[in-house]
């Protein structure tokens, strides 16, 4: 499970911070999920995709036929959320495999809307803290460094120009990085950036002690290497 590197620093971490945490925060489609999962794999650490929890609350509201704009329903859904993360990577909610459904853009938008409520965030923070397990954790989201794991050993703010992120998303959908569809993706990404960074409760922003990593001109491999280098230096 744990790499030799994790062992070599285990004592220091136990003395100073407990189980080491690397936080990777950033805007939508910045590639933080892919990067965080690979860094976790390389170090033998656990991986927390906190956005999944917000998406699961949105999914639960859909399952219950509730309106996502209903704050009370969103808070109740967050407080009673019992997702199952299967070893094969599938995510189950109320016995239903929702792994693919939670990735839909509509669910992401709903998640962004219900994420403004402090009581929703508090309920999900409890689940997020439980993910901090030996030998270490890589956590990605918006407020991993600022709110959930302020004592993290390494904090990364991962970003890229909106046009670059839109182009990556377009390619995933088999679309060209020009034209009307592409322009719509750019606009969606800019709107979500604005919503996530303007909210008053735990907004998306770079913490003073976080390292900025702009991946506009970096490959995934180069980005992962940079994070691992920083971790070794930390
Ligand atoms: O990372 P993502 O696209 O899966 O996240 C979906 C939404 O959930 C995002 O737009 C805002 C919210 N979110 C949040 O508020 N805090 C987090 N730590 C992660 C996600």
């Amino acid at each position: 499970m744990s790499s030799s590197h994790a062992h070599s620093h285990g004592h220091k971490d136990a003395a100073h911070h407990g189980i080491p945490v690397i936080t990777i925060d950033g805007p939508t489609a910045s590639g933080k999920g892919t990067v965080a999962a690979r860094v976790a794999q390389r170090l033998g650490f656990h991986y927390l995709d906190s956005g999944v929890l917000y998406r699961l609350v949105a999914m639960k509201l859909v399952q219950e036929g509730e309106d996502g704009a209903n704050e009370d329903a969103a808070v109740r859904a967050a407080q009673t959320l019992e997702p199952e993360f299967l070893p094969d990577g599938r995510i189950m909610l109320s016995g239903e495999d929702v792994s693919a459904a939670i990735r839909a853009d509509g669910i992401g938008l709903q998640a962004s809307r219900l994420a403004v409520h402090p009581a929703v965030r508090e309920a999900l923070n409890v689940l997020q803290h439980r993910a901090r397990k030996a030998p270490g954790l890589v956590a990605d989201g918006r407020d991993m460094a600022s709110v959930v794991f302020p004592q993290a050993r390494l904090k990364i703010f991962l970003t890229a120009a909106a046009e670059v992120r839109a182009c990556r998303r377009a390619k995933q959908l088999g679309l060209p990085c020009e034209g009307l569809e592409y322009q719509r993706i750019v606009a969606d990404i800019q709107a979500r950036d604005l919503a996530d960074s303007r909210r008053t409760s735990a907004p998306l922003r770079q913490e003073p002690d976080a390292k900025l990593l702009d991946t506009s001109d970096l490959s995934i491999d180069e980005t992962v290497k940079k994070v691992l280098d920083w971790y070794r230096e930390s």
Side-chain angles (χ1 to χ4, degrees):
M1 256 300 262
S2 70
S3 67
S4 57
H5 178 73
H7 277 304
S8 68
H9 284 268
H11 193 70
K12 178 183 146 198
D13 285 315
H16 297 284
H17 320 279
I19 297 163
V21 178
I22 300 175
T23 59
I24 303 186
D25 291 299
T28 192
S30 56
K32 59 191 181 332
T34 307
V35 171
R38 290 206 195 175
V39 169
Q41 200 203 355
R42 289 284 296 275
L43 294 172
F45 281 11
H46 298 277
Y47 166 50
L48 169 68
D49 175 349
S50 61
V52 159
L53 297 175
Y54 290 88
R55 288 170 182 270
L56 282 167
V57 175
M59 197 69 222
K60 191 168 178 188
L61 291 174
V62 170
Q63 279 182 344
E64 293 171 352
E66 288 282 359
D67 182 351
N70 181 337
E71 180 175 352
D72 290 343
V75 171
R76 219 175 318 115
Q79 287 171 343
T80 59
L81 195 68
E82 283 185 61
E84 268 185 282
F85 298 95
L86 302 185
D88 63 9
R90 278 184 302 154
I91 302 170
M92 312 293 290
L93 190 66
S94 317
E96 197 187 318
D97 179 356
V98 296
S99 325
I102 56 167
R103 294 293 165 195
D105 282 340
I107 292 291
L109 191 64
Q110 286 296 331
S112 178
R113 288 194 182 132
L114 57 84
V116 303
H117 305 307
V120 168
R121 306 198 68 83
E122 277 161 31
L124 297 186
N125 288 353
V126 174
L127 299 180
Q128 292 167 44
H129 284 142
R130 279 189 207 146
R132 186 175 193 169
K133 286 187 281 197
L137 175 71
V138 183
D140 91 54
R142 306 292 187 290
D143 62 340
M144 296 299 97
S146 58
V147 176
V148 183
F149 300 110
Q151 304 301 330
R153 175 149 143 200
L154 175 64
K155 299 179 175 182
I156 308 280
F157 191 79
L158 196 78
T159 189
E163 289 75 15
V164 173
R165 289 183 278 134
C167 186
R168 290 175 186 160
R169 169 97 15 115
K171 280 182 185 157
Q172 282 173 351
L173 299 170
L175 296 166
C177 294
E178 58 181 7
L180 274 181
E181 276 293 293
Y182 168 70
Q183 292 304 333
R184 193 186 54 78
I185 298 173
V186 174
D188 282 353
I189 281 180
Q190 286 170 335
R192 187 101 83 80
D193 284 358
L194 214 60
D196 287 346
S197 47
R198 281 209 180 146
R199 68 174 182 226
T200 49
S201 183
L204 171 70
R205 58 150 202 246
Q206 184 187 348
E207 285 295 284
D209 57 348
K211 290 188 190 300
L212 178 66
L213 187 47
D214 187 324
T215 70
S216 298
D217 300 312
L218 294 182
S219 67
I220 292 170
D221 284 347
E222 289 167 327
T223 308
V224 169
K225 185 177 180 306
K226 188 76 216 164
V227 176
L228 290 171
D229 286 349
W230 275 335
Y231 183 68
R232 283 173 188 131
E233 291 163 12
S234 69

